[in-house]
Amino acid sequence: MQTIDVLIIGGGAAGFFTAINVAEKHPSKSVVILERGKEFLTKVRISGGGRCNVTHACFDPKELVNYYPRGEKELLGPFHQFCCGDTMGWFEERGVELKTEDDGRIFPVSDSSQTIIDCFLREAKKHQVDFRKNHAVKKITKVNDLWKVETNQGILDAKKVIMTTGSNPKMWSMLQTLGHTIVPAVPSLFTFNIKDPRIKDLLGIATEASVKVVDTKLASNGPLLITHWGMSGPGILKLSAWGARILADKNYNFQIQVNWLDEVDKEDCLASIKDYKIELAKKTVQKNNPFELPKRLWQRIIQAAGIKEDMRWADINKQQTEQLASQLTEAIFNVNGKSTFKEEFVTAGGIDLKEVNFKTFESRKQENLYFAGEILNIDAITGGFNFQNAWTGSYLIAQSIE
């Protein structure tokens, strides 16, 4: 039986990126990718709404690590070796034109994830990577200096094994038998389910806001989007990522405080309302919205403050003024449950980071065993950051292999 030099388990983004970089650096080594499914790169296909958000326009490693609720400390060194600009260069050198959108997300100019898939398949073939579908790994053991990998299609011997299987519980269990500690998985990147008359039927309304989880230190700001289920948008998704474990412990039943004016506090808001009572005295509150909030949202807020439809600014009393300031800057909403954010199911959890050497992404428990991507207890907010973690780990593995 031929011994494989480098065996990669998992035919996704990290698996292909590792394989191509290893094969390019070591043309004489045999490189094999095993994929349990019928297709390669399935997550790449659906990522970024089918457009594939390959990375983010954040070129300072110290700034970049701030987007990772788990992995911030560990990724600083690796990002100094291979960062977002390196990712852009890598793809462009291989004929993939990229573009940066206003929010910093980077996509192929084609707006199609197929461009990235084609690039990976083309480069893998060019560098003679052997990629095999329908190969489910059943068991991994070490015999002397070789790995024995038992699959549904037979046993393979390998000198080095690289695991890029994402948040796959079966693979995590196998790694536990090899001495690794697994941090249990909980969902990250999810939207909040909220039933409240103040946002009912306001589907699609978006505005800048700051949000806090009551009785915790969790806080975030950014665009907040009202959905059929409740609230989403970057501000909410950031909270879900940073609060992944805290919110799981609460069984996704908690309260949030929303400031629809983002950074304006209640005192400043009260002062502004008093000014508007003089400036806009004869005008109705409903039709004259000085805070420039979306029209239908403003109508719900003044309704919640007890202000009737035809009331003029001059007519609102002290209690209504207080209520309006509260509804604008410290509105409390009950969250009961969560929903997955689009198709992007991201989990917090995986291999304990203390058990990995982040210079090489090699296991500290087992020699010649490496990890890249979401198999590790690393995750990020939305915007291309989870892919950047995968590219960086994969690249450093390829550089470290001799």
Side-chain angles (χ1 to χ4, degrees):
M1 184 197 302
Q2 186 203 355
T3 300
I4 297 161
D5 291 316
V6 179
L7 180 65
I8 296 160
I9 302 171
F16 268 82
F17 204 77
T18 309
I20 293 161
N21 282 291
V22 169
E24 204 170 46
K25 189 167 186 264
H26 299 285
S28 61
K29 286 192 189 296
S30 53
V31 180
V32 176
I33 301 176
L34 301 183
E35 167 55 46
R36 64 180 173 151
K38 297 174 189 169
E39 257 189 273
F40 298 109
L41 301 159
T42 50
K43 204 165 178 183
V44 171
R45 189 176 299 285
I46 62 168
S47 72
R51 295 166 64 211
C52 193
N53 179 189
V54 290
T55 187
H56 202 93
C58 180
F59 307 110
D60 178 356
K62 287 180 187 168
E63 194 184 322
L64 182 59
V65 292
N66 293 326
Y67 293 97
Y68 295 81
R70 282 146 294 272
E72 178 183 351
K73 179 166 61 82
E74 291 79 6
L75 288 173
L76 183 59
F79 284 156
H80 274 98
Q81 303 299 311
F82 192 87
C83 203
C84 304
D86 301 302
T87 296
M88 293 177 75
W90 192 94
F91 280 108
E92 284 166 352
E93 280 163 23
R94 288 157 185 79
V96 177
E97 279 188 82
L98 301 172
K99 61 174 179 176
T100 305
E101 302 205 333
D102 292 343
D103 60 3
R105 291 180 304 159
I106 294 170
F107 292 92
V109 166
S110 65
D111 272 333
S112 171
S113 56
Q114 192 60 46
T115 304
I116 303 300
I117 292 169
D118 291 346
C119 168
F120 281 159
L121 295 175
R122 184 174 63 246
E123 290 294 314
K125 282 175 187 161
K126 176 181 163 184
H127 295 289
Q128 297 180 314
V129 173
D130 177 358
F131 36 103
R132 306 175 188 179
K133 300 174 190 173
N134 301 309
H135 273 67
V137 172
K138 308 262 184 205
K139 196 176 177 185
I140 303 170
T141 48
K142 200 160 195 190
V143 179
N144 300 322
D145 286 339
L146 281 184
W147 288 103
K148 288 208 171 286
V149 179
E150 189 183 321
T151 78
N152 59 335
Q153 308 222 20
I155 295 173
L156 301 167
D157 284 350
K159 292 176 186 172
K160 294 180 189 291
V161 168
I162 301 162
M163 306 280 289
T164 60
T165 47
S167 49
N168 181 331
K170 284 184 183 171
M171 292 295 131
W172 283 342
S173 295
M174 273 182 223
L175 289 168
Q176 282 177 309
T177 66
L178 295 171
H180 272 286
T181 308
I182 301 298
V183 178
V186 294
S188 180
L189 283 192
F190 49 84
T191 63
F192 295 174
N193 292 358
I194 299 169
K195 282 186 179 168
D196 192 291
R198 288 169 291 176
I199 60 167
K200 190 173 187 264
D201 301 326
L202 296 187
L203 176 68
I205 282 180
T207 187
E208 286 284 327
S210 55
V211 188
K212 293 176 184 172
V213 176
V214 176
D215 296 331
T216 73
K217 290 180 181 174
L218 293 169
S220 153
N221 67 334
L224 186 154
L225 173 70
I226 298 171
T227 69
H228 179 65
W229 302 107
M231 292 183 189
S232 184
I236 295 292
L237 294 169
K238 272 190 264 182
L239 268 191
S240 75
W242 259 270
R245 297 214 169 269
I246 294 166
L247 302 181
D249 289 344
K250 291 178 179 290
N251 203 24
Y252 309 105
N253 285 289
F254 54 94
Q255 288 186 316
I256 57 169
Q257 184 185 82
V258 177
N259 183 342
W260 297 108
L261 305 183
D262 197 6
E263 292 174 4
V264 177
D265 66 18
K266 188 179 177 183
E267 291 309 308
D268 288 343
C269 179
L270 271 170
S272 297
I273 292 170
K274 284 168 186 170
D275 289 343
Y276 295 137
K277 276 166 66 76
I278 297 163
E279 280 174 43
L280 305 168
K282 293 183 178 178
K283 296 186 174 174
T284 62
V285 180
Q286 181 171 311
K287 289 186 179 166
N288 292 271
N289 163 14
F291 296 103
E292 296 179 2
L293 288 167
K295 186 179 170 186
R296 289 188 299 145
L297 176 62
W298 171 248
Q299 287 169 352
R300 292 291 176 81
I301 288 169
I302 61 172
Q303 205 176 352
I307 297 168
K308 294 193 170 68
E309 205 173 300
D310 57 352
M311 281 183 89
R312 298 178 307 166
W313 275 97
D315 299 334
I316 61 176
N317 62 31
K318 189 180 177 187
Q319 188 186 353
Q320 290 164 330
T321 302
E322 275 281 333
Q323 272 297 313
L324 181 56
S326 288
Q327 289 295 336
L328 284 165
T329 62
E330 49 183 35
I332 301 291
F333 290 88
N334 293 316
V335 178
N336 293 295
K338 60 174 176 53
S339 295
T340 303
F341 173 61
K342 298 183 180 174
E343 312 88 353
E344 297 182 24
F345 186 69
V346 175
T347 57
I351 297 161
D352 192 315
L353 304 185
K354 293 194 287 290
E355 299 173 357
V356 179
N357 175 354
F358 279 91
K359 287 182 178 168
T360 59
F361 283 74
E362 186 175 13
S363 162
R364 291 188 188 278
K365 299 280 183 180
Q366 298 283 351
E367 206 178 343
N368 295 323
L369 178 64
Y370 300 80
F371 310 109
E374 287 177 35
I375 191 168
L376 296 161
N377 183 29
I378 292 175
D379 62 286
I381 63 168
T382 184
F385 303 106
N386 284 301
F387 271 144
Q388 186 57 49
N389 164 47
W391 312 142
T392 295
S394 301
Y395 184 81
L396 290 188
I397 290 169
Q399 297 313 300
S400 72
I401 280 176
E402 290 303 329

